[in-house]
Amino acid sequence: MLTACRRAGFEPQVLHEVTDTAATLALVEGGVGVSVVTDLMLRLRPSRIDVLELEEVMERHIVVVFLSFAEHRPTVAALVDVLRASADRLPPGAV
């Protein structure tokens, strides 16, 4: 978010950072903050906020780290499979 603001020509005044989805959306809803949100965040906590589409694409990279002997554990294998399947469903160029 900071990079997007800087590219737009301004430095945001960050007074506080929140990492909890519900708290973030509550602060935005209360008019005391702004945030970048995902569709998932909005589904987790319905809010009465205005959502503006960004012109610049923002992306994040998800990396899975596990011990090599755990690769064949059913839970680890299932998580990796779900993440791979999710990435396969993304539009071209989104990864």
Side-chain angles (χ1 to χ4, degrees):
M1 186 168 166
L2 291 174
T3 300
C5 292
R6 290 175 181 146
R7 287 182 184 157
F10 70 95
E11 185 71 25
Q13 182 182 11
V14 179
L15 301 177
H16 188 72
E17 292 183 32
V18 178
T19 58
D20 178 80
T21 296
T24 298
L25 294 174
L27 289 167
V28 172
E29 196 171 39
V32 293
V34 297
S35 179
V36 175
V37 297
T38 64
D39 292 337
L40 177 59
M41 289 173 70
L42 295 173
R43 286 194 307 266
L44 290 174
R45 184 189 186 280
S47 302
R48 288 170 279 149
I49 58 176
D50 294 323
V51 178
L52 304 173
E53 294 289 329
L54 296 175
E55 292 180 16
E56 183 175 337
V57 174
M58 297 181 74
E59 63 184 25
R60 64 178 159 185
H61 300 272
I62 298 173
V63 179
V64 179
V65 179
F66 53 86
L67 297 172
S68 58
F69 69 84
E71 182 176 7
H72 301 291
R73 285 186 167 170
T75 52
V76 173
L79 174 63
V80 171
D81 288 345
V82 166
L83 293 173
R84 283 187 178 136
S86 296
D88 290 343
R89 288 194 303 269
L90 293 173
V95 177

